[in-house]
Structure formats: C-alpha cells, structure tokens
Amino acid sequence: MGKKFQAMRGTRDVLPGEIEAWQAVEEAARRQSSRFGFREIRTPLFEATELFARGVGDSTDIVRKEMYTFPDRKGRSLTLRPEGTAGVARALIEAGLARPHELHRLYYMGPMFRYDRPQAGRYRQFHQWGAEIVGTKSPWADVETILLLVGLLVDLGLEGLVVKVNSVGDETCRPAYQEKIRQALLPRRDELCEDCRERLDRNPLRVLDCKVPSDREIVKDLPPMLDSLCDPCREHFDAVKQGLDAAGVRYEIDPGLVRGLDYYTRTAYEVHHGKLGAQSAVGGGGRYDGLIQLLGGPAVPAVGFSMGIERTLIALEEEGRKPAPERDTIYLARGAGLGGQAVRLAQKLRSTYAVALDLEERGLGPQLKQADRIGARVALILGEDEAKAGEVTLKDLGSGEQRRVREAELESAIEQALRGPVART
Ligand code: AMP
C-alpha cells in the first residue's frame, strides 16, 4: 500500500455539496463589486518577500511569524501572499497606473496564506474577497468601501453584524500619540505579554490590538487615539461618520481598533459577526495613504478592505442561511446500446438545462440511484421502447411520478417538472 496523503494542516478541500455555497458567495461578491463600479484585478499568488516585508510592515505578526517564505531555485526569497493589497499596489505601480488623481476601483478574490495556529475560522490557506479605491483622499471613498462590504453581507442574509470604525491618524498626529502611549505603558512594561513588550518598542499602537485578557485590562485605561487626532484627520473621520449615517449604516466607534497591518492611516474598520466566537471578524479594512509611495510609487492615497470567505460561510451557516446546492440537474438514463441517441438528446437539452448523462452500460436501477446521488431533480429515461416511439420517460425524482412525453414536447414537460410536481396524465 502506498502512503496515504492528507491535505496539509490548516488547508481544506471544498467538495461538491459544499462548493455550491462558495460559488454563491463568490458570485454575489462579483455582482456586488460591479454594482459599485469595481473591476477585477488578478495578481500572482507569490511575490518577492521584500514586497510584504515593506508593504505589510516589519512589525506585524504577519511578517514576523506568519509568512510562507521560501527560496526559489535561483535563491530569490519568495512569499505566498498573506494578503491582497500589497500585490495590487505593486501591480498598479508596475503598470504605471498609480498616478495622483487617477481613480481606480478594483476588487480581487482568491487564496491567501498565513502560517498561523489553525482553529475554527482560522486556516493557513484561506480565501478573501477584497476591494480597493485608489487615487483619492475623499472620505466618500472610505464610506463606499464600507457600503460595498456591508452590502454584500446584508444581501447574503446575515443579521448579527456589528460595524466598528476608528481613526488611527496620520503621519502628522500619530507619532505623538504613539509616544504618549509608549510613555503610559512603560511603567507597566513587565505586566504586558511578551509580544506586547516587543510591540512597545517597535509599534506601540499595536498593543491596543492585543487579544490577551490581562493586556486588554491595561489598555482599557489608555487615552484613545481619537482624542489626539490633528484637525484634518478629525474632519476626515467626521465626514466618514456622516457618510455612514446618511447611508443608514449603524456602527460603533471602537477606539481599540487599529488593525494588524502597519500601513493604515486614518480610517480603520471591521465588520464582526456575533456567532463567530474568538475569530469574529468577517472583514476589515481602512485607508492606507502612504502604501503606494512606500512601495516606490508616487504619493497616491487609497482605501480598501478584505473579507474572509470561510468566515462568511461559517456566519451564514450559524444563521441557517448557507446557500443550498442547486438541484436543477437533469439526469439522462438510457438503455443499453442507446449511447448515440442519448448523447444527441443531451446535447440538444444542454442549450437550456444542465444535463448529466449516464456513462455506463447498466440497468435502470443503478442509473436512477446515481441521479439521486448527484441531486438531480428530474431523470429522463431513454429506453428501447421510448426510442422507437420518439418519446422519453420523464421521472420527477422528488415525487417519484413519471410519464411518457413526446420528444417534441420534452422541454415544456421539463419546465413543468422543475417548477412543481409532474401533472398526472
Ligand atoms: P486581515 O487581512 O487580517 O484583516 O483579514 C481580513 C479578513 O480575512 C478577516 O476578517 C477574516 O475574515 C479573514 N481572515 C484573515 N486571516 C484568516 C485566516 N487565517 N483564516 C481564515 N480567514 C482569515
């Protein structure tokens, strides 16, 4: 016996039966994106390690602990993308599309990779839908991205959503605030978790984001960033809040929300779902006005988010709203030696319906069992008798009723069967 292979820890297969819910979410995300005027961008799954080290930030958990990094055959250091924004920014710069005052509305979808401890809702390969508006500082862009994200989740039927917003300031007001909390935390340095002791040196703002309960207690007493915003940052934040109010989005202000990535400026937001437990963020994003310049492009501001597809599916399941597999397939069973006629009939019907054709030479019983297994709603039986008479037997697999139909009338009979029980004749 050969070795049995298994999917690697933190990765999963999506099998038929489950894939339909994925496809429903993905299709809804594409529809939602184009409804808001976003166009798709696809970037490679791996990039130079340096891109993420710089673009995500050396002080982040992602870069310090979670990247899948490896040398290729020529010794270049490559990394499987842990998030989508750095690659999108690189692509725009490379194509000469990152230009001041040139607006791009872009979305992406696909796998991301992070070497983290797997648990419910946290995987090593996971999937995101994300969107970016590049080329404007307007707070309306921040609002649009929030509406895009929340709109999809609401359209999918999710109810227990909480939108949290904050501002993390910019290069004018943040340094002084960072210093303020560093000074406030220094006397209690030894009480902080090991990660936070390091964060205190590298990027004190990230201590606010720590999930360790004893650290949360300490952080709770710190002055919020919102009290230290410079005037332009405050005006921007006020405008975002007004925009959300105007759009009827309910939100909470969360002074502890700083997000894991270093490149955020001003607006930071997250959408949580109450039933997701510890990993409750379905999606999150914010403004990153400095990123494109940091990656060697011109000074072009941007804002965006990403949403986890697995977590969205878990939230939908928790609310009993997971999209069910479609059961509209027609299964074509046939008598021995009628392969040619069956193929011809299947091809004709496929201009309108999804038709699976039985491939084996076998009895009707096993063929109908297979029809059930794939979730077909209707079976068509083309036996010798039917073939001679120019007819087909149509069996409604829900009710079990069946009748003979002339081939010329088959389509209307199928319509009727798919819409409801087969009428008795
Ligand atoms: P982030 O880039 O960390 O803000 O993540 C954005 C969204 O991606 C989160 O809100 C999650 O829904 C999802 N996500 C992030 N990391 C993981 C992971 N390891 N496994 C599954 N989903 C994740």
Side-chain angles (χ1 to χ4, degrees), residues 399-415:
S399 66
E401 286 173 47
Q402 64 179 58
R403 62 174 173 136
R404 292 265 291 252
V405 182
R406 294 205 57 75
E407 208 184 304
E409 284 139 32
L410 188 54
E411 298 218 1
S412 66
I414 292 172
E415 273 309 307

PDB file of all heavy atoms in Angstrom, residues 399-415:
ATOM      1  N   SER A 399     -41.173  13.624  -6.410  1.00  0.00           N
ATOM      2  CA  SER A 399     -42.449  12.960  -6.127  1.00  0.00           C
ATOM      3  C   SER A 399     -42.433  11.500  -6.550  1.00  0.00           C
ATOM      4  O   SER A 399     -43.285  10.722  -6.129  1.00  0.00           O
ATOM      5  CB  SER A 399     -43.577  13.693  -6.869  1.00  0.00           C
ATOM      6  OG  SER A 399     -43.390  13.526  -8.271  1.00  0.00           O
ATOM      7  N   GLY A 400     -41.501  11.130  -7.397  1.00  0.00           N
ATOM      8  CA  GLY A 400     -41.450   9.751  -7.900  1.00  0.00           C
ATOM      9  C   GLY A 400     -42.387   9.506  -9.076  1.00  0.00           C
ATOM     10  O   GLY A 400     -42.406   8.439  -9.658  1.00  0.00           O
ATOM     11  N   GLU A 401     -43.195  10.520  -9.411  1.00  0.00           N
ATOM     12  CA  GLU A 401     -44.133  10.318 -10.525  1.00  0.00           C
ATOM     13  C   GLU A 401     -43.412  10.331 -11.859  1.00  0.00           C
ATOM     14  O   GLU A 401     -42.419  11.035 -12.022  1.00  0.00           O
ATOM     15  CB  GLU A 401     -45.181  11.436 -10.521  1.00  0.00           C
ATOM     16  CG  GLU A 401     -46.182  11.255  -9.396  1.00  0.00           C
ATOM     17  CD  GLU A 401     -47.099  12.448  -9.292  1.00  0.00           C
ATOM     18  OE1 GLU A 401     -47.603  12.889 -10.338  1.00  0.00           O
ATOM     19  OE2 GLU A 401     -47.270  12.951  -8.168  1.00  0.00           O
ATOM     20  N   GLN A 402     -43.955   9.557 -12.805  1.00  0.00           N
ATOM     21  CA  GLN A 402     -43.333   9.563 -14.129  1.00  0.00           C
ATOM     22  C   GLN A 402     -44.358   9.442 -15.237  1.00  0.00           C
ATOM     23  O   GLN A 402     -45.472   8.985 -15.024  1.00  0.00           O
ATOM     24  CB  GLN A 402     -42.287   8.465 -14.220  1.00  0.00           C
ATOM     25  CG  GLN A 402     -42.835   7.051 -14.102  1.00  0.00           C
ATOM     26  CD  GLN A 402     -41.703   6.047 -14.234  1.00  0.00           C
ATOM     27  OE1 GLN A 402     -40.746   6.079 -13.462  1.00  0.00           O
ATOM     28  NE2 GLN A 402     -41.817   5.160 -15.224  1.00  0.00           N
ATOM     29  N   ARG A 403     -43.987   9.908 -16.422  1.00  0.00           N
ATOM     30  CA  ARG A 403     -44.880   9.782 -17.581  1.00  0.00           C
ATOM     31  C   ARG A 403     -44.066   9.840 -18.852  1.00  0.00           C
ATOM     32  O   ARG A 403     -42.946  10.372 -18.873  1.00  0.00           O
ATOM     33  CB  ARG A 403     -45.931  10.886 -17.570  1.00  0.00           C
ATOM     34  CG  ARG A 403     -45.310  12.264 -17.662  1.00  0.00           C
ATOM     35  CD  ARG A 403     -46.390  13.324 -17.785  1.00  0.00           C
ATOM     36  NE  ARG A 403     -45.795  14.656 -17.706  1.00  0.00           N
ATOM     37  CZ  ARG A 403     -46.125  15.653 -18.521  1.00  0.00           C
ATOM     38  NH1 ARG A 403     -47.030  15.480 -19.453  1.00  0.00           N
ATOM     39  NH2 ARG A 403     -45.558  16.826 -18.392  1.00  0.00           N
ATOM     40  N   ARG A 404     -44.694   9.324 -19.918  1.00  0.00           N
ATOM     41  CA  ARG A 404     -44.023   9.354 -21.221  1.00  0.00           C
ATOM     42  C   ARG A 404     -44.330  10.677 -21.910  1.00  0.00           C
ATOM     43  O   ARG A 404     -45.454  11.162 -21.869  1.00  0.00           O
ATOM     44  CB  ARG A 404     -44.531   8.200 -22.091  1.00  0.00           C
ATOM     45  CG  ARG A 404     -44.115   6.825 -21.569  1.00  0.00           C
ATOM     46  CD  ARG A 404     -42.846   6.332 -22.231  1.00  0.00           C
ATOM     47  NE  ARG A 404     -43.010   5.989 -23.627  1.00  0.00           N
ATOM     48  CZ  ARG A 404     -42.998   4.729 -24.092  1.00  0.00           C
ATOM     49  NH1 ARG A 404     -42.835   3.714 -23.271  1.00  0.00           N
ATOM     50  NH2 ARG A 404     -43.127   4.497 -25.382  1.00  0.00           N
ATOM     51  N   VAL A 405     -43.328  11.239 -22.546  1.00  0.00           N
ATOM     52  CA  VAL A 405     -43.502  12.534 -23.212  1.00  0.00           C
ATOM     53  C   VAL A 405     -42.920  12.432 -24.615  1.00  0.00           C
ATOM     54  O   VAL A 405     -41.854  11.839 -24.801  1.00  0.00           O
ATOM     55  CB  VAL A 405     -42.728  13.630 -22.442  1.00  0.00           C
ATOM     56  CG1 VAL A 405     -42.934  14.992 -23.071  1.00  0.00           C
ATOM     57  CG2 VAL A 405     -43.131  13.667 -20.978  1.00  0.00           C
ATOM     58  N   ARG A 406     -43.595  13.024 -25.572  1.00  0.00           N
ATOM     59  CA  ARG A 406     -43.021  13.058 -26.928  1.00  0.00           C
ATOM     60  C   ARG A 406     -41.802  13.984 -26.913  1.00  0.00           C
ATOM     61  O   ARG A 406     -41.798  14.999 -26.224  1.00  0.00           O
ATOM     62  CB  ARG A 406     -44.053  13.573 -27.946  1.00  0.00           C
ATOM     63  CG  ARG A 406     -45.247  12.639 -28.135  1.00  0.00           C
ATOM     64  CD  ARG A 406     -45.896  12.834 -29.507  1.00  0.00           C
ATOM     65  NE  ARG A 406     -44.964  12.650 -30.635  1.00  0.00           N
ATOM     66  CZ  ARG A 406     -44.519  11.464 -31.058  1.00  0.00           C
ATOM     67  NH1 ARG A 406     -44.924  10.347 -30.465  1.00  0.00           N
ATOM     68  NH2 ARG A 406     -43.679  11.384 -32.076  1.00  0.00           N
ATOM     69  N   GLU A 407     -40.806  13.614 -27.694  1.00  0.00           N
ATOM     70  CA  GLU A 407     -39.566  14.396 -27.648  1.00  0.00           C
ATOM     71  C   GLU A 407     -39.821  15.867 -27.964  1.00  0.00           C
ATOM     72  O   GLU A 407     -39.227  16.767 -27.368  1.00  0.00           O
ATOM     73  CB  GLU A 407     -38.526  13.802 -28.602  1.00  0.00           C
ATOM     74  CG  GLU A 407     -37.115  14.093 -28.130  1.00  0.00           C
ATOM     75  CD  GLU A 407     -36.031  13.618 -29.094  1.00  0.00           C
ATOM     76  OE1 GLU A 407     -36.011  12.423 -29.425  1.00  0.00           O
ATOM     77  OE2 GLU A 407     -35.217  14.474 -29.497  1.00  0.00           O
ATOM     78  N   ALA A 408     -40.750  16.106 -28.887  1.00  0.00           N
ATOM     79  CA  ALA A 408     -41.036  17.489 -29.279  1.00  0.00           C
ATOM     80  C   ALA A 408     -41.604  18.302 -28.105  1.00  0.00           C
ATOM     81  O   ALA A 408     -41.490  19.523 -28.073  1.00  0.00           O
ATOM     82  CB  ALA A 408     -42.016  17.506 -30.456  1.00  0.00           C
ATOM     83  N   GLU A 409     -42.243  17.612 -27.147  1.00  0.00           N
ATOM     84  CA  GLU A 409     -42.855  18.327 -26.014  1.00  0.00           C
ATOM     85  C   GLU A 409     -42.008  18.261 -24.745  1.00  0.00           C
ATOM     86  O   GLU A 409     -42.437  18.669 -23.659  1.00  0.00           O
ATOM     87  CB  GLU A 409     -44.248  17.733 -25.717  1.00  0.00           C
ATOM     88  CG  GLU A 409     -45.304  18.164 -26.702  1.00  0.00           C
ATOM     89  CD  GLU A 409     -46.214  17.009 -27.082  1.00  0.00           C
ATOM     90  OE1 GLU A 409     -46.450  16.123 -26.246  1.00  0.00           O
ATOM     91  OE2 GLU A 409     -46.673  17.005 -28.245  1.00  0.00           O
ATOM     92  N   LEU A 410     -40.813  17.727 -24.920  1.00  0.00           N
ATOM     93  CA  LEU A 410     -39.996  17.446 -23.735  1.00  0.00           C
ATOM     94  C   LEU A 410     -39.660  18.707 -22.940  1.00  0.00           C
ATOM     95  O   LEU A 410     -39.765  18.727 -21.709  1.00  0.00           O
ATOM     96  CB  LEU A 410     -38.714  16.723 -24.180  1.00  0.00           C
ATOM     97  CG  LEU A 410     -37.841  16.178 -23.060  1.00  0.00           C
ATOM     98  CD1 LEU A 410     -38.636  15.276 -22.129  1.00  0.00           C
ATOM     99  CD2 LEU A 410     -36.648  15.413 -23.622  1.00  0.00           C
ATOM    100  N   GLU A 411     -39.298  19.765 -23.669  1.00  0.00           N
ATOM    101  CA  GLU A 411     -38.848  20.961 -22.934  1.00  0.00           C
ATOM    102  C   GLU A 411     -39.952  21.539 -22.059  1.00  0.00           C
ATOM    103  O   GLU A 411     -39.704  21.943 -20.917  1.00  0.00           O
ATOM    104  CB  GLU A 411     -38.309  22.021 -23.900  1.00  0.00           C
ATOM    105  CG  GLU A 411     -37.101  21.505 -24.650  1.00  0.00           C
ATOM    106  CD  GLU A 411     -36.005  22.540 -24.871  1.00  0.00           C
ATOM    107  OE1 GLU A 411     -36.176  23.686 -24.411  1.00  0.00           O
ATOM    108  OE2 GLU A 411     -34.995  22.179 -25.489  1.00  0.00           O
ATOM    109  N   SER A 412     -41.158  21.581 -22.578  1.00  0.00           N
ATOM    110  CA  SER A 412     -42.214  22.164 -21.742  1.00  0.00           C
ATOM    111  C   SER A 412     -42.528  21.230 -20.573  1.00  0.00           C
ATOM    112  O   SER A 412     -42.856  21.687 -19.472  1.00  0.00           O
ATOM    113  CB  SER A 412     -43.464  22.516 -22.568  1.00  0.00           C
ATOM    114  OG  SER A 412     -44.039  21.334 -23.051  1.00  0.00           O
ATOM    115  N   ALA A 413     -42.398  19.929 -20.783  1.00  0.00           N
ATOM    116  CA  ALA A 413     -42.626  18.984 -19.672  1.00  0.00           C
ATOM    117  C   ALA A 413     -41.549  19.148 -18.596  1.00  0.00           C
ATOM    118  O   ALA A 413     -41.828  19.085 -17.390  1.00  0.00           O
ATOM    119  CB  ALA A 413     -42.630  17.559 -20.203  1.00  0.00           C
ATOM    120  N   ILE A 414     -40.314  19.391 -19.031  1.00  0.00           N
ATOM    121  CA  ILE A 414     -39.224  19.598 -18.066  1.00  0.00           C
ATOM    122  C   ILE A 414     -39.479  20.869 -17.261  1.00  0.00           C
ATOM    123  O   ILE A 414     -39.365  20.879 -16.032  1.00  0.00           O
ATOM    124  CB  ILE A 414     -37.851  19.670 -18.779  1.00  0.00           C
ATOM    125  CG1 ILE A 414     -37.484  18.311 -19.372  1.00  0.00           C
ATOM    126  CG2 ILE A 414     -36.763  20.135 -17.824  1.00  0.00           C
ATOM    127  CD1 ILE A 414     -36.244  18.330 -20.266  1.00  0.00           C
ATOM    128  N   GLU A 415     -39.864  21.920 -17.977  1.00  0.00           N
ATOM    129  CA  GLU A 415     -40.185  23.195 -17.312  1.00  0.00           C
ATOM    130  C   GLU A 415     -41.182  22.970 -16.188  1.00  0.00           C
ATOM    131  O   GLU A 415     -40.998  23.425 -15.053  1.00  0.00           O
ATOM    132  CB  GLU A 415     -40.818  24.171 -18.304  1.00  0.00           C
ATOM    133  CG  GLU A 415     -39.840  25.016 -19.106  1.00  0.00           C
ATOM    134  CD  GLU A 415     -38.832  25.708 -18.225  1.00  0.00           C
ATOM    135  OE1 GLU A 415     -39.253  26.390 -17.268  1.00  0.00           O
ATOM    136  OE2 GLU A 415     -37.619  25.534 -18.467  1.00  0.00           O
TER     137      GLU A 415
END
